[in-house]
Amino acid sequence: MKVTTFSVEPNIPQPLQPLKELANNLWLSWNYDAVMLFMRLDYDLWMESHQNPAQLLGMVSQERYEELSGDDSFLAALNRVYERFQAYLAGDTWYTDGAEDVVAYFSMEYGLDVSLPIYSGGLGVLSGDHMKTSSDLGLPLIGVGLLYRQGYFQQYLNADGYQQESYPENDWYNMPVSVCRTDDDSPVKVTVQIGESVVVAQVWQVRIGRASLYLLDTNIPDNSEHLRQITASLYGGTKETRIQQEILLGIGGIRALRALGINATVAHMNEGHSAFLAIERIRELIVNEKLTFDQAVEAIRPTSIFTTHTPVPAGNERFAPELMHKYFHSIVDGIPISYHDFMALGRENPHDELEHFCMTILAVRLSAYNNAVSELHGAVSRDMWKQIWPGLPVHEVPIKSITNGVHPRTWLNHDLQDVLDRYFGPRFYDDPTYLEIWNRMDRVSDEELWRTHERRKERLVTFVRERLRSQLKRRGLSGTQLGTANQVLSPYSFTISFARRFATYKRATLLFRDRDRLYKLLTNTERPVQVIFSGKAHPHDVPGKNLIKDIVHFAQQPELRSRIVFVENYDMGIAKYLVSGADLWMNTPRRPMEASGTSGMKAAINGVLNCSILDGWWAEGYTPDVGWAIGSGEYYEDEEEQDEVESKLLYDLLEREILPLYFDRGRDGLPHEWIRMMKASMAELAPRFSSHRMLMEYADHFYRPALANAARVRAGAYKAAKSLAEHMARLRKAWPSIQVVTEPALPDRRLNVGDDVELQTRIHLGDLKPDDVTVELYHGPMSTLDEIAAPTRTPMTAKGAGDNGTYAFTAVIRCTTAGRQGLSVRVLPRHPQLVDEFVPGFVVAG
């Protein structure tokens, strides 16, 4: 049966028309006054629509619209919010460079709001905060991703507490997304060769304040049924599904930008999923600008940024050689490159034919700017990928770190926002880059902060009871059994929250290791304690699912049923209640496997104190004034020993420090020392782990330089890229013949602090000249591990004309410290267009 489709829009009266614009811009997601407008439309329908303003507009009755169109109170509130929205769009911003070029930010998932379920967890929420902050700052940045028909799975537990998954369909025509259209009003579509098939993708737009996100969707009639499944679900399907999605994201994403007329000259890959975009950018330059492959590589590398989020090799996306061979031709169509050379781009050892193709390595090799997401993660990443730069000391591996942050207005509870707006003043809203404003926390009275926190905890308890009642009803319980949901938790008990992905390394059940000790904590009537858990395990992660089941089983003891609760289907909505209503945020990953983590940051800006392993962001955020550290950052060979030691430390902290401090009340009934730590947590951590600080660092260290590189590279018909490619070709040919002929000879005398020493070495450069390379002394104090601990790099100068390609180089160094010293000579490539001197494979050390 043939079906003709058409769209019907709600008939909204003229005075209420701004609601339509507000509903389709996710500015609403971090402005609670705007959310309140939609709740006032019809609260029951608001909840039924899963807090989706776009869908709600189609559910409200015409009678209700007519009623509100004459309600002066509602219209006044609507006009205030809409004026604020318009002022935001037209207002001044931090970024004022005004270039026409833009940065294209690619991510597999975006956690922007509960109304747009295309995210799974931390990576997506970070991407969402990245987009919102970009809007606040006025950055020339647009987002690119995929539109998943089912998003990430919905979680529910069976009667035994075992996780089950469901995959509800998303109705995009009732969500805050819109189809991108051409001048003749037809949908914008692009085609991508994926394997043997030509796939058509339709492009959708999400408005996020001033910013835009573009999403590709293959679930359209132009494709056969199996091709429509490519964008069926996030992180679903097989490895083959994943490579198809990543070809679509990378290659199709670049083509979508071109079809939209967006001049994206810089690409930022958030994790390796989108790394094929670099291949597409190379193909464009070869086809359109007639560059060679090497020239195109040198043109896109200085305009490419890559952020890695994974601290373990196994967590990085890898594809088997046979799978890569199947899709090879469609990925590199139009590029003169062999299968062997292409696979080498994604291999740690380019000559290992059996090594799988790694998307992270592809992104690293083709990006001039690489970064990890915390200081500790930066050190871990440099060590993990050091083989890509053989000959470099680990600390010089060119992977920097920009620690993640969170978008304050999204994650601050609205009650607390009202308090801070009053005490901080209008600049708190108008200028989010003025991070020093958090120093005004001492203006807030202890009583007002604590009463606000108590209200948030009451809301958390009410919310959890409602969710639990729904969970029990779904399992078929009724009557008295259903009534037990009204007895769980207490707004007067000390509340611990643990909410995150249930991967085994996050050790959700570390608190359960000594169950007798935990039982005593939970049943103490003088210092009552309760714990709320939430989080999803990956559908194929059976050990992760068993952790959830263990928690549910332990909580079924009659004395504990009201004190331990697992809230199903963790999402952004649940997270907002937990990070604002708990007393303590607990995090117990196995160090150093937490790249950054952002949930603790969200808790901290709400005055919820952290108790965590010194991993990820907490390794740099922790001080005794703002929370508690479980251990001192030790590493263990034996995981069993680690769990035993750190679980005991956790119990000790709770029993001896945390609970006594919380329950120590003054004559006014307030825990003043606890409140002091809440204020310190907000004042110290909120500015340091704000996404505005994060994006300003990205802009200063990566975006501005890369945009400048883009203009420089394409000037003069890509003259700079051609020059650098020619130079690198010469280096590649001559590099194997470079040798340190003679090591620097030290003077035959005792050296004292303050002495200057002239050293000379002879380097055979073959067909190269001294201006083609940098020769330097690498020197400094020696460690007990026979490594140069704090190296100094001193350039050496060529002396004389050279003899058959061998040149003398000299330098003077000063003895600045006493003790055992070390020195070495090394040769690096040099060229005025080279953004990063540490090019893989181009280091010769003496």
Side-chain angles (χ1 to χ4, degrees):
M1 180 175 65
K2 183 177 180 180
V3 177
T4 301
T5 62
F6 58 96
S7 297
V8 178
E9 296 187 359
N11 184 15
I12 301 175
Q14 186 60 38
L16 304 179
Q17 279 293 314
L19 286 172
K20 188 174 180 181
E21 189 174 349
L22 291 170
N24 287 285
N25 191 309
L26 290 180
W27 174 87
L28 173 143
S29 67
W30 71 91
N31 286 271
Y32 190 71
D33 287 351
V35 173
M36 285 291 293
L37 290 173
F38 291 89
M39 294 171 66
R40 286 178 65 179
L41 277 176
D42 191 310
Y43 182 77
D44 290 338
L45 291 179
W46 171 252
M47 299 308 293
E48 186 180 332
S49 71
H50 302 289
Q51 303 174 47
N52 179 349
Q55 182 177 353
L56 174 67
L57 292 182
M59 299 169 69
V60 174
S61 69
Q62 202 62 39
E63 291 76 16
R64 180 60 174 159
Y65 277 132
E66 296 300 333
E67 177 188 348
L68 288 174
S69 66
D71 185 330
D72 59 351
S73 171
F74 184 85
L75 291 176
L78 172 58
N79 289 335
R80 280 196 304 272
V81 169
Y82 190 62
E83 286 173 5
R84 196 175 196 180
F85 172 60
Q86 296 284 57
Y88 173 86
L89 295 181
D92 295 333
T93 61
W94 173 80
Y95 189 91
T96 58
D97 290 17
E100 293 183 2
D101 295 352
V102 302
V103 177
Y105 176 82
F106 283 70
S107 184
M108 199 74 167
E109 52 175 304
Y110 289 88
L112 291 156
D113 189 60
V114 291
S115 64
L116 192 61
I118 55 170
Y119 64 95
S120 69
L123 178 69
V125 172
L126 174 73
S127 301
D129 282 4
H130 199 107
M131 294 301 303
K132 294 174 186 179
T133 310
S134 173
S135 169
D136 288 345
L137 300 183
L139 294 179
L141 181 144
I142 51 93
V144 181
L146 301 181
L147 190 72
Y148 302 101
R149 196 181 80 227
Q150 297 169 335
Y152 202 50
F153 71 88
Q154 302 289 297
Q155 176 201 55
Y156 65 96
L157 306 184
N158 64 19
D160 191 38
Y162 194 74
Q163 174 182 294
Q164 306 287 296
E165 297 87 29
S166 65
Y167 295 86
E169 300 284 331
N170 289 318
D171 179 6
W172 299 120
Y173 293 91
N174 281 305
M175 288 187 174
V177 297
S178 57
V179 176
C180 295
R181 297 192 176 275
T182 63
D183 292 339
D184 63 1
D185 204 39
S186 58
V188 173
K189 296 178 182 178
V190 296
T191 59
V192 183
Q193 184 82 30
I194 300 181
E196 299 301 319
S197 303
V198 176
V199 179
V200 182
Q202 183 169 278
V203 185
W204 299 69
Q205 181 182 19
V206 181
R207 292 177 174 84
I208 310 155
R210 302 180 180 94
S212 288
L213 166 64
Y214 296 97
L215 303 171
L216 280 72
D217 170 26
T218 66
N219 184 33
I220 55 176
D222 307 61
N223 295 316
S224 61
E225 185 58 35
H226 80 280
L227 296 179
R228 296 178 71 159
Q229 297 300 312
I230 291 176
T231 55
S233 62
L234 172 61
Y235 303 140
T238 64
K239 272 288 187 182
E240 187 142 12
T241 307
R242 290 292 287 272
I243 196 172
Q244 292 171 347
Q245 288 183 340
E246 294 179 14
I247 293 171
L248 177 66
L249 175 61
I251 297 176
I254 292 292
R255 294 181 184 179
L257 297 177
R258 305 303 181 229
L260 293 164
I262 295 173
N263 192 31
T265 58
V266 171
H268 181 179
M269 295 166 273
N270 189 43
E271 197 54 282
H273 306 118
S274 61
F276 290 137
L277 70 82
I279 305 300
E280 175 64 8
R281 296 180 74 205
I282 290 170
R283 186 197 66 80
E284 285 184 328
L285 291 172
I286 291 173
V287 173
N288 300 331
E289 304 297 335
K290 310 307 177 186
L291 301 188
T292 67
F293 177 80
D294 290 342
Q295 291 169 348
V297 168
E298 300 304 341
I300 67 116
R301 183 182 278 129
T303 62
S304 296
I305 301 155
F306 171 61
T307 300
T308 177
H309 292 262
T310 310
V312 290
N316 292 269
E317 189 78 274
R318 296 175 189 270
F319 296 115
E322 54 272 20
L323 186 61
M324 290 299 298
H325 190 270
K326 179 176 179 179
Y327 289 93
F328 163 68
H329 291 291
S330 66
I331 294 170
V332 303
D333 180 38
I335 298 177
I337 187 173
S338 68
Y339 175 72
H340 174 272
D341 289 344
F342 171 67
M343 291 295 289
L345 291 173
R347 284 173 167 157
E348 201 165 353
N349 179 358
H351 306 294
D352 183 355
E353 299 290 345
L354 299 179
E355 184 181 335
H356 285 205
F357 187 94
C358 178
M359 297 294 282
T360 298
I361 295 175
L362 175 65
V364 164
R365 287 192 186 279
L366 296 178
S367 298
Y369 304 99
N370 297 285
N371 76 286
V373 291
S374 71
E375 291 178 4
L376 178 59
H377 182 225
V380 170
S381 297
R382 286 188 287 274
D383 185 65
M384 187 163 65
W385 301 115
K386 61 189 176 186
Q387 296 305 321
I388 299 176
W389 293 271
L392 270 190
V394 173
H395 75 273
E396 284 189 319
V397 168
I399 300 177
K400 299 179 173 62
S401 63
I402 294 181
T403 303
N404 285 342
V406 297
H407 188 254
R409 287 272 161 183
T410 294
W411 297 104
L412 269 172
N413 172 269
H414 61 88
D415 286 332
L416 185 56
Q417 275 192 41
D418 290 343
V419 172
L420 299 184
D421 281 334
R422 279 190 284 113
Y423 283 98
F424 287 4
R427 195 171 179 184
F428 184 49
Y429 178 85
D430 295 335
D431 184 8
T433 66
Y434 183 54
L435 302 177
E436 296 84 353
I437 205 165
W438 287 93
N439 293 331
R440 298 180 183 181
M441 273 307 303
D442 58 359
R443 298 182 180 184
V444 183
S445 71
D446 284 5
E447 183 174 10
E448 186 158 14
L449 182 59
W450 188 249
R451 299 305 175 217
T452 302
H453 178 63
E454 287 182 319
R455 286 196 299 275
R456 294 183 299 173
K457 190 191 282 191
E458 289 168 2
R459 286 199 181 96
L460 170 60
V461 169
T462 301
F463 170 77
V464 171
R465 287 174 177 174
E466 291 174 351
R467 291 299 292 254
L468 184 59
R469 194 158 41 242
S470 298
Q471 291 173 202
L472 296 176
K473 186 180 292 186
R474 183 190 48 73
R475 294 177 199 168
L477 302 182
S478 60
T480 304
Q481 292 175 308
L482 201 59
T484 59
N486 297 324
Q487 307 302 317
V488 303
L489 305 183
S490 165
Y492 309 107
S493 295
F494 180 77
T495 304
I496 302 171
S497 282
F498 181 99
R500 53 195 30 85
R501 184 163 55 90
F502 267 69
T504 52
Y505 78 86
K506 293 180 182 283
R507 298 189 297 177
T509 55
L510 189 68
L511 187 63
F512 290 67
R513 191 167 178 87
D514 187 337
R515 302 200 172 196
D516 291 338
R517 201 168 174 181
L518 176 59
Y519 184 90
K520 290 176 183 178
L521 273 175
L522 295 171
T523 57
N524 187 321
T525 55
E526 293 183 0
R527 293 174 175 172
V529 176
Q530 57 196 16
V531 189
I532 304 172
F533 289 91
S534 192
K536 298 177 178 179
H538 188 278
H540 303 308
D541 184 3
V542 174
K545 292 182 176 183
N546 285 333
L547 291 177
I548 296 173
K549 187 172 73 170
D550 289 345
I551 291 170
V552 172
H553 282 202
F554 185 73
Q556 288 174 347
Q557 299 177 62
E559 300 88 344
L560 301 181
R561 282 177 181 165
S562 65
R563 299 183 182 277
I564 301 180
V565 177
F566 187 93
V567 182
E568 295 178 2
N569 204 34
Y570 186 49
D571 63 7
M572 290 180 69
I574 295 173
K576 289 182 179 182
Y577 280 98
L578 293 178
V579 299
S580 64
D583 296 304
L584 187 74
W585 195 261
M586 186 175 68
N587 190 24
T588 53
R590 197 180 299 284
R591 177 182 165 111
M593 298 180 71
E594 186 87 286
S596 172
T598 56
S599 60
M601 301 175 189
K602 296 158 192 162
I605 66 172
N606 279 287
V608 175
L609 301 184
N610 277 269
C611 178
S612 175
I613 299 292
L614 287 172
D615 199 7
W617 80 282
W618 193 235
E620 58 197 86
Y622 164 73
T623 67
D625 291 334
V626 300
W628 292 271
I630 304 169
S632 301
E634 297 89 353
Y635 292 92
Y636 294 81
E637 294 293 331
D638 186 335
E639 291 185 354
E640 182 70 17
E641 178 190 4
Q642 181 180 11
D643 292 350
E644 182 68 16
V645 171
E646 292 181 340
S647 66
K648 283 182 165 56
L649 289 171
L650 175 57
Y651 295 129
D652 288 344
L653 284 173
L654 288 168
E655 293 166 351
R656 300 174 185 176
E657 296 186 35
I658 297 173
L659 292 173
L661 188 71
Y662 178 84
F663 285 104
D664 180 19
R665 305 298 168 104
R667 296 179 64 181
D668 55 3
L670 300 180
H672 288 284
E673 281 302 302
W674 188 273
I675 296 170
R676 181 190 62 76
M677 289 186 70
M678 290 175 66
K679 289 183 177 180
S681 173
M682 297 170 73
E684 294 180 28
L685 300 180
R688 288 179 59 193
F689 299 100
S690 159
S691 57
H692 296 93
R693 182 273 311 156
M694 176 184 77
L695 259 290
M696 287 190 287
E697 287 189 19
Y698 272 108
D700 289 340
H701 298 314
F702 297 157
Y703 294 160
R704 281 190 171 109
L707 287 166
N709 291 342
R712 173 180 56 78
V713 164
R714 66 174 181 261
Y718 291 85
K719 180 180 178 181
K722 293 174 181 176
S723 171
L724 182 55
E726 181 183 355
H727 179 72
M728 296 306 294
R730 288 178 56 232
L731 288 183
R732 199 171 291 112
K733 182 178 179 181
W735 205 258
S737 65
I738 294 178
Q739 287 183 310
V740 178
V741 178
T742 59
E743 298 287 348
L746 289 165
D748 187 18
R749 61 181 174 85
R750 182 182 297 274
L751 296 174
N752 298 310
V753 173
D755 286 354
D756 288 333
V757 181
E758 183 174 3
L759 298 171
Q760 179 172 299
T761 184
R762 295 175 69 244
I763 308 290
H764 179 71
L765 297 180
D767 294 332
L768 299 177
K769 302 298 181 185
D771 286 346
D772 294 328
V773 298
T774 294
V775 177
E776 61 185 21
L777 284 172
Y778 186 83
H779 57 99
M782 293 294 290
S783 72
T784 56
L785 300 176
D786 285 335
E787 297 174 345
I788 299 176
T792 298
R793 298 170 58 189
T794 301
M796 303 190 79
T797 304
K799 299 293 184 182
D803 180 18
N804 294 324
T806 300
Y807 297 83
F809 289 81
T810 64
V812 175
I813 64 172
R814 173 161 292 185
C815 301
T816 56
T817 57
R820 192 167 66 121
Q821 308 290 308
L823 64 83
S824 182
V825 174
R826 67 181 182 184
V827 184
L828 301 170
R830 180 175 15 163
H831 190 274
Q833 304 298 335
L834 199 59
V835 174
D836 188 340
E837 62 190 329
F838 297 132
V839 179
F842 289 91
V843 178
V844 173

